[in-house]
Protein backbone atom coordinates (compact mmCIF):
# COMPACT_ATOMS: atom_id res chain seq x y z
CA UNK A 1 0.00 0.00 0.00
CA UNK A 2 1.23 3.49 -0.85
CA UNK A 3 1.93 6.17 1.78
CA UNK A 4 -0.85 8.80 1.87
CA UNK A 5 0.38 12.39 1.60
CA UNK A 6 -1.22 15.84 1.60
CA UNK A 7 -0.36 19.00 -0.32
CA UNK A 8 -0.56 22.44 1.33
CA UNK A 9 -0.88 25.20 -1.25
CA UNK A 10 -2.08 22.59 -3.74
CA UNK A 11 -3.53 25.13 -6.19
CA UNK A 12 -0.31 27.12 -6.68
CA UNK A 13 2.53 26.74 -9.13
CA UNK A 14 4.60 24.48 -6.87
CA UNK A 15 1.45 22.70 -5.61
CA UNK A 16 0.50 21.74 -9.17
CA UNK A 17 4.01 20.44 -9.84
CA UNK A 18 3.74 18.30 -6.67
CA UNK A 19 0.51 16.85 -7.98
CA UNK A 20 1.97 16.17 -11.40
CA UNK A 21 5.13 14.51 -10.02
CA UNK A 22 3.26 12.47 -7.40
CA UNK A 23 0.55 11.25 -9.79
CA UNK A 24 2.45 8.03 -10.56
CA UNK A 25 4.88 7.93 -7.66
CA UNK A 26 5.71 4.36 -6.58
CA UNK A 27 5.60 5.11 -2.83
CA UNK A 28 3.33 8.14 -2.27
CA UNK A 29 -0.33 8.77 -3.01
CA UNK A 30 -2.09 12.14 -2.61
CA UNK A 31 -5.17 11.81 -0.44
CA UNK A 32 -5.69 15.43 0.59
CA UNK A 33 -5.21 18.89 -0.87
CA UNK A 34 -5.40 22.18 1.03
CA UNK A 35 -5.21 25.85 0.07
CA UNK A 36 -6.67 29.21 1.14
CA UNK A 37 -10.23 29.99 2.23
CA UNK A 38 -10.80 31.16 -1.37
CA UNK A 39 -10.43 27.60 -2.67
CA UNK A 40 -11.54 25.54 0.34
CA UNK A 41 -14.79 23.58 -0.08
CA UNK A 42 -14.49 23.37 -3.88
CA UNK A 43 -13.53 20.34 -5.95
CA UNK A 44 -9.88 20.62 -6.93
CA UNK A 45 -10.75 20.69 -10.65
CA UNK A 46 -13.12 23.65 -10.10
CA UNK A 47 -10.82 25.72 -7.91
CA UNK A 48 -7.48 25.36 -9.66
CA UNK A 49 -6.23 27.27 -12.66
CA UNK A 50 -4.37 24.18 -13.92
CA UNK A 51 -1.46 25.04 -16.17
CA UNK A 52 0.57 21.83 -16.26
CA UNK A 53 0.76 20.24 -19.72
CA UNK A 54 -0.57 16.84 -18.52
CA UNK A 55 -4.23 16.78 -17.39
CA UNK A 56 -5.13 16.90 -13.68
CA UNK A 57 -4.73 13.33 -12.36
CA UNK A 58 -8.21 11.79 -11.96
CA UNK A 59 -7.40 10.74 -8.39
CA UNK A 60 -6.92 14.39 -7.42
CA UNK A 61 -9.42 16.24 -9.64
CA UNK A 62 -12.43 15.34 -7.48
CA UNK A 63 -10.80 15.81 -4.07
CA UNK A 64 -12.43 18.59 -2.07
CA UNK A 65 -9.93 21.28 -1.12
CA UNK A 66 -9.54 21.72 2.63
CA UNK A 67 -8.36 24.67 4.66
CA UNK A 68 -4.81 24.41 5.98
CA UNK A 69 -5.84 23.08 9.41
CA UNK A 70 -3.81 20.13 10.74
CA UNK A 71 -6.66 17.67 10.25
CA UNK A 72 -5.53 15.91 7.06
CA UNK A 73 -5.66 12.08 6.96
CA UNK A 74 -1.95 11.58 6.33
CA UNK A 75 1.41 11.79 8.09
CA UNK A 76 3.47 13.61 5.44
CA UNK A 77 2.53 17.01 4.01
CA UNK A 78 4.34 18.78 1.20
CA UNK A 79 4.07 22.56 1.46
CA UNK A 80 3.96 24.90 -1.51
CA UNK A 81 2.34 27.65 0.54
CA UNK A 82 2.80 31.33 -0.06
CA UNK A 83 5.58 32.54 2.24
CA UNK A 84 3.26 35.10 3.84
CA UNK A 85 1.38 32.25 5.54
CA UNK A 86 3.71 29.23 5.35
CA UNK A 87 5.62 29.84 8.59
CA UNK A 88 2.75 29.60 11.06
CA UNK A 89 0.80 26.93 9.16
CA UNK A 90 3.85 24.66 8.88
CA UNK A 91 4.60 25.09 12.59
CA UNK A 92 1.01 24.13 13.45
CA UNK A 93 1.22 20.99 11.32
CA UNK A 94 4.57 19.96 12.83
CA UNK A 95 3.19 20.51 16.36
CA UNK A 96 0.24 18.32 15.47
CA UNK A 97 2.60 15.46 14.54
CA UNK A 98 2.95 15.91 10.77
CA UNK A 99 6.19 15.60 8.84
CA UNK A 100 6.28 18.89 6.92
CA UNK A 101 8.42 19.01 3.79
CA UNK A 102 8.47 22.68 2.84
CA UNK A 103 9.46 24.78 -0.16
CA UNK A 104 8.96 28.08 1.58
CA UNK A 105 11.66 30.25 3.03
CA UNK A 106 10.17 30.73 6.51
CA UNK A 107 11.90 27.91 8.45
CA UNK A 108 15.07 27.56 6.37
CA UNK A 109 17.31 29.21 8.95
CA UNK A 110 15.76 27.73 12.08
CA UNK A 111 18.85 26.22 13.75
CA UNK A 112 17.15 22.83 14.18
CA UNK A 113 15.70 22.62 10.64
CA UNK A 114 17.67 20.90 7.87
CA UNK A 115 18.00 22.93 4.67
CA UNK A 116 18.31 19.84 2.58
CA UNK A 117 19.70 18.77 -0.78
CA UNK A 118 19.90 15.00 -0.28
CA UNK A 119 23.01 14.53 -2.45
CA UNK A 120 24.81 17.29 -0.54
CA UNK A 121 23.94 17.25 3.16
CA UNK A 122 21.75 14.30 4.08
CA UNK A 123 23.72 14.10 7.37
CA UNK A 124 21.99 17.38 8.39
CA UNK A 125 18.78 15.36 8.84
CA UNK A 126 20.15 14.62 12.30
CA UNK A 127 19.03 18.14 13.27
CA UNK A 128 15.46 16.83 13.40
CA UNK A 129 16.30 15.19 16.72
CA UNK A 130 16.65 18.72 18.19
CA UNK A 131 13.16 19.78 17.09
CA UNK A 132 10.51 20.18 19.76
CA UNK A 133 7.56 18.99 17.71
CA UNK A 134 7.11 15.51 19.21
CA UNK A 135 6.30 13.11 16.37
CA UNK A 136 6.21 15.95 13.85
CA UNK A 137 9.09 17.78 12.16
CA UNK A 138 9.95 20.35 9.50
CA UNK A 139 12.46 19.85 6.70
CA UNK A 140 13.02 22.59 4.12
CA UNK A 141 14.13 22.86 0.54
CA UNK A 142 16.52 25.63 -0.49
CA UNK A 143 15.53 28.40 -2.88
CA UNK A 144 15.23 27.24 -6.52
CA UNK A 145 18.36 28.99 -7.81
CA UNK A 146 20.36 28.00 -4.71
CA UNK A 147 19.75 24.28 -5.31
CA UNK A 148 21.36 24.18 -8.77
CA UNK A 149 24.27 26.35 -7.71
CA UNK A 150 24.96 24.40 -4.51
CA UNK A 151 24.88 21.04 -6.30
CA UNK A 152 27.49 22.41 -8.73
CA UNK A 153 29.64 23.82 -5.91
CA UNK A 154 29.56 20.76 -3.65
CA UNK A 155 32.08 18.58 -5.56
CA UNK A 156 34.44 21.58 -5.88
CA UNK A 157 34.06 22.45 -2.20
CA UNK A 158 34.88 18.86 -1.19
CA UNK A 159 37.84 18.42 -3.54
CA UNK A 160 39.50 21.87 -3.64
CA UNK A 161 37.75 24.15 -1.14
CA UNK A 162 35.88 27.27 -2.25
CA UNK A 163 37.29 30.73 -1.50
CA UNK A 164 34.76 32.97 -3.31
CA UNK A 165 31.77 32.80 -5.68
CA UNK A 166 30.19 35.34 -8.00
CA UNK A 167 26.92 34.40 -9.69
CA UNK A 168 24.65 36.11 -12.21
CA UNK A 169 21.32 34.38 -12.80
CA UNK A 170 18.86 34.31 -15.71
CA UNK A 171 15.73 32.95 -14.04
CA UNK A 172 12.59 31.49 -15.55
CA UNK A 173 9.09 32.93 -15.18
CA UNK A 174 7.63 29.92 -13.37
CA UNK A 175 9.84 30.81 -10.42
CA UNK A 176 7.52 33.76 -9.76
CA UNK A 177 4.45 31.52 -9.25
CA UNK A 178 1.14 32.10 -11.02
CA UNK A 179 0.13 34.55 -12.51
CA UNK A 180 3.61 35.83 -11.73
CA UNK A 181 5.14 38.62 -13.75
CA UNK A 182 2.78 40.64 -16.00
CA UNK A 183 3.29 39.81 -19.69
CA UNK A 184 3.76 43.48 -20.56
CA UNK A 185 6.64 43.63 -18.10
CA UNK A 186 8.56 40.62 -19.41
CA UNK A 187 7.91 40.19 -23.16
CA UNK A 188 10.80 41.75 -25.09
CA UNK A 189 12.47 42.44 -21.76
CA UNK A 190 14.70 41.35 -18.87
CA UNK A 191 13.97 42.39 -15.29
CA UNK A 192 17.15 43.04 -13.30
CA UNK A 193 15.53 42.48 -9.90
CA UNK A 194 13.91 39.51 -8.13
CA UNK A 195 12.69 40.36 -4.66
CA UNK A 196 14.65 38.65 -1.83
CA UNK A 197 16.49 36.36 -4.26
CA UNK A 198 20.03 37.67 -3.94
CA UNK A 199 20.20 37.44 -0.11
CA UNK A 200 18.94 33.83 -0.33
CA UNK A 201 21.60 32.86 -2.85
CA UNK A 202 24.27 34.55 -0.77
CA UNK A 203 23.32 32.84 2.51
CA UNK A 204 21.63 29.46 1.90
CA UNK A 205 24.63 27.64 0.33
CA UNK A 206 26.66 28.40 3.45
CA UNK A 207 24.23 26.48 5.67
CA UNK A 208 23.88 23.62 3.17
CA UNK A 209 27.65 23.27 2.69
CA UNK A 210 28.23 23.70 6.41
CA UNK A 211 29.30 20.78 8.58
CA UNK A 212 27.29 19.08 11.25
CA UNK A 213 28.98 19.70 14.59
CA UNK A 214 27.12 17.82 17.31
CA UNK A 215 23.64 19.28 17.32
CA UNK A 216 24.33 22.32 15.15
CA UNK A 217 25.67 23.36 11.75
CA UNK A 218 28.97 25.21 11.40
CA UNK A 219 28.31 27.30 8.31
CA UNK A 220 30.75 27.25 5.39
CA UNK A 221 32.76 30.44 5.26
CA UNK A 222 33.26 32.09 1.86
CA UNK A 223 31.70 35.15 0.23
CA UNK A 224 29.02 34.79 -2.44
CA UNK A 225 27.93 37.74 -4.56
CA UNK A 226 24.67 37.22 -6.49
CA UNK A 227 22.86 39.28 -9.14
CA UNK A 228 19.47 37.89 -10.14
CA UNK A 229 17.51 38.60 -13.33
CA UNK A 230 14.10 37.43 -14.58
CA UNK A 231 14.00 36.46 -18.26
CA UNK A 232 11.18 35.39 -20.62
CA UNK A 233 11.80 31.60 -20.37
CA UNK A 234 9.10 29.36 -18.90
CA UNK A 235 11.15 26.85 -16.88
CA UNK A 236 14.84 26.42 -16.08
CA UNK A 237 17.21 28.77 -14.30
CA UNK A 238 20.54 29.48 -16.02
CA UNK A 239 23.36 30.77 -13.78
CA UNK A 240 26.78 32.13 -14.74
CA UNK A 241 29.27 31.41 -11.97
CA UNK A 242 32.82 32.54 -11.29
CA UNK A 243 34.68 30.69 -8.57
CA UNK A 244 37.98 30.99 -6.75
CA UNK A 245 39.23 27.76 -5.21
CA UNK A 246 41.36 27.37 -2.10
CA UNK A 247 43.57 24.81 -3.80
CA UNK A 248 44.83 25.01 -7.40
CA UNK A 249 43.13 22.58 -9.77
CA UNK A 250 43.09 21.95 -13.52
CA UNK A 251 39.93 22.27 -15.62
CA UNK A 252 39.99 18.50 -16.15
CA UNK A 253 40.01 17.97 -12.38
CA UNK A 254 36.92 20.17 -12.00
CA UNK A 255 35.10 18.31 -14.76
CA UNK A 256 35.97 14.95 -13.30
CA UNK A 257 34.84 16.09 -9.82
CA UNK A 258 31.45 16.96 -11.34
CA UNK A 259 31.14 13.83 -13.46
CA UNK A 260 32.05 11.50 -10.60
CA UNK A 261 29.81 13.20 -8.07
CA UNK A 262 26.99 11.19 -6.60
CA UNK A 263 25.25 10.98 -3.24
CA UNK A 264 23.03 8.91 -1.02
CA UNK A 265 19.94 9.21 -3.27
CA UNK A 266 21.88 7.51 -6.07
CA UNK A 267 23.23 4.77 -3.78
CA UNK A 268 19.73 4.18 -2.42
CA UNK A 269 18.24 4.29 -5.92
CA UNK A 270 15.45 6.58 -4.73
CA UNK A 271 12.56 6.91 -7.20
CA UNK A 272 13.11 10.58 -8.08
CA UNK A 273 16.91 10.56 -7.80
CA UNK A 274 18.65 11.42 -11.06
CA UNK A 275 20.98 8.64 -12.18
CA UNK A 276 23.69 11.28 -12.23
CA UNK A 277 23.21 14.55 -10.32
CA UNK A 278 25.54 16.55 -12.60
CA UNK A 279 26.13 16.38 -16.37
CA UNK A 280 28.98 18.26 -18.01
CA UNK A 281 28.56 19.37 -21.65
CA UNK A 282 31.63 19.99 -23.87
CA UNK A 283 29.69 21.89 -26.58
CA UNK A 284 30.25 25.61 -26.20
CA UNK A 285 26.57 26.53 -26.70
CA UNK A 286 25.25 24.38 -23.82
CA UNK A 287 23.49 24.14 -21.39
CA UNK A 288 20.26 25.79 -22.59
CA UNK A 289 16.92 25.90 -20.72
CA UNK A 290 14.89 24.52 -23.63
CA UNK A 291 17.30 21.63 -24.28
CA UNK A 292 18.54 20.46 -20.88
CA UNK A 293 15.96 21.45 -18.25
CA UNK A 294 14.19 18.07 -18.30
CA UNK A 295 17.38 16.03 -18.25
CA UNK A 296 17.20 12.94 -16.00
CA UNK A 297 13.57 13.62 -14.87
CA UNK A 298 14.32 17.36 -14.47
CA UNK A 299 16.40 16.47 -11.40
CA UNK A 300 19.94 16.89 -12.79
CA UNK A 301 22.12 19.97 -13.00
CA UNK A 302 23.71 20.66 -16.39
CA UNK A 303 27.07 22.42 -16.51
CA UNK A 304 29.06 23.77 -19.45
CA UNK A 305 31.46 26.43 -20.69
CA UNK A 306 34.15 25.85 -18.06
CA UNK A 307 37.01 28.23 -18.72
CA UNK A 308 39.69 30.14 -16.85
CA UNK A 309 38.68 33.51 -15.44
CA UNK A 310 41.04 36.51 -15.37
CA UNK A 311 39.57 37.67 -12.03
CA UNK A 312 38.47 34.45 -10.28
CA UNK A 313 40.03 31.02 -11.03
CA UNK A 314 37.26 29.60 -13.24
CA UNK A 315 33.92 30.52 -14.75
CA UNK A 316 31.15 28.25 -16.01
CA UNK A 317 27.41 28.07 -16.71
CA UNK A 318 24.87 25.88 -14.94
CA UNK A 319 21.22 25.08 -15.56
CA UNK A 320 18.57 23.38 -13.42
CA UNK A 321 14.80 23.01 -13.56
CA UNK A 322 13.41 25.46 -11.01
CA UNK A 323 10.04 23.84 -10.26
CA UNK A 324 11.28 20.21 -10.42
CA UNK A 325 14.80 20.03 -8.94
CA UNK A 326 14.40 23.53 -7.49
CA UNK A 327 11.03 22.95 -5.80
CA UNK A 328 8.56 20.05 -5.90
CA UNK A 329 10.96 17.36 -7.19
CA UNK A 330 13.61 18.33 -4.66
CA UNK A 331 11.05 18.21 -1.85
CA UNK A 332 9.81 14.78 -2.92
CA UNK A 333 13.41 13.54 -2.94
CA UNK A 334 13.73 14.90 0.63
CA UNK A 335 10.71 12.81 1.65
CA UNK A 336 12.03 9.74 -0.16
CA UNK A 337 15.36 9.82 1.68
CA UNK A 338 13.57 10.33 5.01
CA UNK A 339 11.35 7.31 4.35
CA UNK A 340 14.31 5.18 3.23
CA UNK A 341 16.28 6.18 6.35
CA UNK A 342 13.21 5.30 8.45
CA UNK A 343 13.04 8.83 9.89
CA UNK A 344 9.27 8.92 9.52
CA UNK A 345 7.10 6.91 11.85
CA UNK A 346 4.49 5.71 9.38
P1 LIG B 1 1.67 30.45 -5.81
O1 LIG B 1 1.53 29.93 -7.19
O2 LIG B 1 1.30 31.86 -5.54
O3 LIG B 1 0.79 29.47 -4.81
C1 LIG B 1 0.56 29.79 -3.46
C2 LIG B 1 -0.33 28.76 -2.78
O4 LIG B 1 -0.53 29.19 -1.43
C3 LIG B 1 -1.72 28.60 -3.40
O5 LIG B 1 -2.13 27.25 -3.33
C4 LIG B 1 -2.61 29.44 -2.49
O6 LIG B 1 -3.96 28.98 -2.42
C5 LIG B 1 -1.96 29.20 -1.15
N1 LIG B 1 -2.28 30.27 -0.21
C6 LIG B 1 -2.15 31.61 -0.39
N2 LIG B 1 -2.61 32.28 0.70
C7 LIG B 1 -3.03 31.33 1.58
C8 LIG B 1 -3.62 31.38 2.88
N3 LIG B 1 -3.85 32.56 3.50
N4 LIG B 1 -3.91 30.22 3.49
C9 LIG B 1 -3.69 29.03 2.89
N5 LIG B 1 -3.15 28.92 1.64
C10 LIG B 1 -2.82 30.06 1.01
O7 LIG B 1 3.18 30.29 -5.29
P2 LIG B 1 4.31 29.23 -5.78
O8 LIG B 1 5.14 29.79 -6.87
O9 LIG B 1 3.67 27.89 -5.96
O10 LIG B 1 5.27 29.22 -4.50
C11 LIG B 1 4.88 28.59 -3.28
C12 LIG B 1 6.02 28.64 -2.30
O11 LIG B 1 7.14 27.91 -2.80
C13 LIG B 1 6.52 30.07 -2.04
O12 LIG B 1 6.87 30.18 -0.70
C14 LIG B 1 7.74 30.19 -2.97
O13 LIG B 1 8.66 31.14 -2.51
C15 LIG B 1 8.28 28.76 -2.92
N6 LIG B 1 9.06 28.35 -4.09
C16 LIG B 1 8.61 28.55 -5.36
C17 LIG B 1 9.36 28.10 -6.44
C18 LIG B 1 8.93 28.27 -7.89
O14 LIG B 1 9.74 27.92 -8.79
N7 LIG B 1 7.73 28.74 -8.17
C19 LIG B 1 10.58 27.44 -6.23
C20 LIG B 1 11.01 27.23 -4.92
C21 LIG B 1 10.23 27.69 -3.87
P3 LIG B 1 -5.16 29.71 -3.24
O15 LIG B 1 -5.05 29.26 -4.67
O16 LIG B 1 -6.38 29.18 -2.58
O17 LIG B 1 -4.97 31.18 -3.09
Amino acid sequence: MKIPVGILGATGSVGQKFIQLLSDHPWFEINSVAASERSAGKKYRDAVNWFMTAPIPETVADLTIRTCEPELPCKIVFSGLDASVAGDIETEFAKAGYVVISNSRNHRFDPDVPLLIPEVNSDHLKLIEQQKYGDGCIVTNPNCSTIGMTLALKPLHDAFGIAAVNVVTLQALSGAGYPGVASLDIIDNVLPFISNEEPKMESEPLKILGSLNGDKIDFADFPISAQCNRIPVLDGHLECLSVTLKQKASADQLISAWKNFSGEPQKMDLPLAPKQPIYYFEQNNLPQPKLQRNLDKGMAVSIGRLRECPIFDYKFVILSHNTIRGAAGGAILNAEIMVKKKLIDL
Side-chain angles (χ1 to χ4, degrees), residues 12-15 17 51-52 80-83 103-105 108 142-146 169-182 186 191 193-197 200 228-239 293 320-328:
S13 165
V14 172
K17 192 56 93 178
F51 57 92
M52 300 289 114
L81 284 168
D82 190 89
N103 274 282
S104 300
R105 66 167 184 265
R108 285 181 188 153
N143 164 264
C144 46
S145 37
T146 301
T169 69
L170 296 89
Q171 296 185 218
L173 287 171
S174 57
Y178 187 87
V181 183
I186 196 70
L191 299 175
F193 175 67
I194 302 176
S195 181
N196 292 321
E197 197 77 355
K200 289 180 200 165
C228 298
N229 303 285
R230 186 76 70 197
I231 59 161
V233 156
L234 289 180
D235 289 315
H237 289 350
L238 197 87
E239 303 176 19
R293 62 188 166 206
S320 63
H321 197 302
N322 54 299
T323 61
I324 302 181
R325 176 43 105 157

